DNA sequence: AGCGTCACCCGGACGC
DNA sequence: TGCGTCCGGGTGACGC
């Protein structure tokens, strides 16, 4: 279930090369594209994608929110992995993968394979990355994301913290895991109203968000959908997926409720509703 | 603006 | 063992 840390790790590995994902894709030129599941191609049509990509070279791979951004010589390719998507650089002789739905073949014979068991992932080809990621909120790990800024953002809304933090146009990159973890680190109930936080609570939330994301990065992401081989963060969850188990801080049984159709995990003692 | 609901998928867990 | 059913994940579309 890729959230900011998992996507960041994929971007880094594709950019710099890794054992899990193969050598860097930066500098490779696309020769042709195979699309076995056209519904992956969100924009434009698969036909246009197959026509426009050949000849373009990958200049850089980066992340914005949960999107992977491939800067090409002319256009920008964006991929959203959703929950079960993965990208691997493979050689010409690689065994086929029945879940590989879009394959970018390079002129050197290698190929970047987009596999997605649940077929939720999306591919976008646009002239400017902003066409897709322009509506995203700030990056929580960026220098400019201060506690004061978070406080101003929170005060502008009257929403429950959990759905607000999951809203990518409010803040980019938090999914269900890191939101629950951040709220526990901050000692804030997921149903607290965003404009009701004291300055100290805002600072705690700011620190909790950043600590949760950094912990995920440090442990190479979480592996729940058997996608991110090597990710270990699932062994360090404080509340996520731990209903009935003891809170790491006070020992009280973690509770699970549903907020906006999302499973939400919290400690009823450390995260009280005023 | 904010909220609820649904659709999109399918592997795995569960119940019978 | 083999079925059937439900769940969860991120997002966009929709209606209120």
């Amino acid at each position: 279930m890729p959230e900011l840390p998992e996507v960041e790790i994929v971007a880094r590995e594709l950019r710099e090369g890794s054992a899990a994902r193969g050598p860097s894709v930066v500098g490779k030129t696309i020769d042709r594209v195979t699309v076995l599941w056209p519904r992956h191609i969100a924009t434009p049509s698969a036909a246009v994608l197959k026509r426009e990509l050949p000849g373009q070279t990958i200049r850089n791979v980066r992340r914005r929110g949960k999107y992977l951004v491939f800067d090409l010589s002319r256009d920008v390719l964006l991929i959203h992995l959703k929950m079960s998507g993965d990208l691997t650089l493979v050689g010409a002789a690689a065994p086929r993968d029945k879940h590989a739905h879009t394959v970018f073949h390079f002129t050197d014979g290698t190929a970047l394979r987009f596999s997605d068991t649940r077929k939720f992932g999306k591919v976008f080809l646009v002239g400017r990355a902003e066409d897709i990621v322009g509506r995203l909120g700030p990056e929580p790990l960026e220098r400019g994301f201060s506690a004061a800024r978070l406080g101003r953002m929170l005060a502008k809304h009257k929403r429950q913290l959990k759905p607000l933090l999951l809203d990518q146009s409010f803040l980019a990159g938090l999914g269900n895991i890191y939101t629950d973890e951040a709220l526990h680190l901050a000692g804030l109930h997921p149903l607290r109203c965003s404009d009701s936080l004291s300055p100290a609570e805002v600072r705690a939330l700011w620190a909790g968000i950043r600590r949760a994301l950094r912990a995920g990065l440090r442990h190479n992401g979480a592996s729940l959908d058997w996608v991110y081989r090597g990710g270990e963060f699932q062994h360090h969850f404080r509340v996520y997926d731990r209903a009935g188990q003891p809170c790491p801080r006070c020992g009280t049984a973690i509770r699970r409720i549903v907020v906006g159709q999302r499973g939400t995990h919290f400690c009823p003692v450390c995260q009280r509703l005023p």
Side-chain angles (χ1 to χ4, degrees):
Chain A
M1 33 205 67
E3 303 184 21
L4 186 158
E6 290 84 16
V7 183
E8 177 70 36
I9 289 157
V10 175
R12 187 193 305 156
E13 291 184 345
L14 287 172
R15 184 174 61 241
E16 297 167 13
S18 76
R21 240 163 277 279
S24 171
V25 298
V26 174
K28 289 182 182 282
T29 300
I30 297 170
D31 179 50
R32 67 194 164 87
V33 181
T34 312
V35 179
L36 295 92
W37 180 255
R39 292 166 77 171
H40 264 158
I41 315 301
T43 184
S45 66
V48 173
L49 189 94
K50 287 160 82 164
R51 190 183 68 221
E52 296 298 323
L53 279 178
Q56 298 209 47
T57 300
I58 298 176
R59 303 292 188 202
N60 189 27
V61 187
R62 55 196 170 97
R63 176 196 62 76
R64 174 73 171 96
K66 301 178 193 175
Y67 291 81
L68 277 164
V69 183
F70 296 80
D71 295 299
L72 307 178
S73 26
R74 185 177 66 245
D75 300 323
V76 184
L77 179 76
L78 296 98
I79 296 183
H80 197 306
L81 300 173
K82 294 288 177 86
M83 292 79 60
S84 57
D86 197 17
L87 285 163
T88 326
L89 185 64
V90 296
R96 9 188 340 225
D97 170 0
K98 66 170 177 169
H99 298 300
H101 304 303
T102 300
V103 186
F104 305 89
H105 302 271
F106 298 116
T107 52
D108 65 0
T110 63
L112 183 65
R113 213 158 59 175
F114 179 22
S115 303
D116 187 359
T117 53
R118 297 189 191 175
K119 294 180 175 170
F120 268 35
K122 290 274 179 287
V123 177
F124 309 80
L125 182 67
V126 291
R128 303 173 319 127
E130 290 306 294
D131 294 350
I132 300 297
V133 298
R135 64 196 160 65
L136 295 179
E139 286 287 333
L141 292 179
E142 230 168 46
R143 208 184 282 274
F145 181 68
S146 63
R149 181 171 181 197
L150 176 63
R152 289 192 297 273
M153 289 162 54
L154 289 166
K156 274 192 227 158
H157 297 269
K158 273 186 152 41
R159 295 179 65 183
Q160 295 170 334
L161 288 178
K162 169 86 186 212
L164 183 60
L165 292 173
L166 281 176
D167 184 339
Q168 302 298 297
S169 66
F170 177 76
L171 190 62
L174 291 183
N176 214 29
I177 295 175
Y178 295 95
T179 301
D180 283 2
E181 295 295 299
L183 286 170
H184 182 266
L185 283 165
L188 291 169
H189 194 285
L191 298 183
R192 276 290 294 279
C193 188
S194 58
D195 71 346
S196 75
L197 271 57
S198 70
E201 288 174 327
V202 170
R203 281 194 300 276
L205 181 56
W206 176 82
I209 289 168
R210 293 165 62 102
R211 273 185 66 191
L213 292 173
R214 290 218 174 92
L217 283 167
R218 193 166 60 244
H219 294 292
N220 216 21
S223 305
L224 287 191
D225 274 352
W226 59 94
V227 169
Y228 293 97
R229 298 166 303 277
E232 292 294 329
F233 188 50
Q234 65 276 19
H235 304 307
H236 302 272
F237 290 160
R238 302 165 63 89
V239 289
Y240 183 80
D241 209 20
R242 291 192 64 244
Q245 297 177 53
C247 165
R249 191 167 159 273
C250 76
T252 306
I254 297 300
R255 284 192 55 197
R256 180 185 189 276
I257 57 175
V258 176
V259 182
Q261 348 279 94
R262 313 304 302 279
T264 298
H265 314 76
F266 70 101
C267 169
V269 171
C270 298
Q271 299 168 267
R272 289 183 190 278
L273 214 46

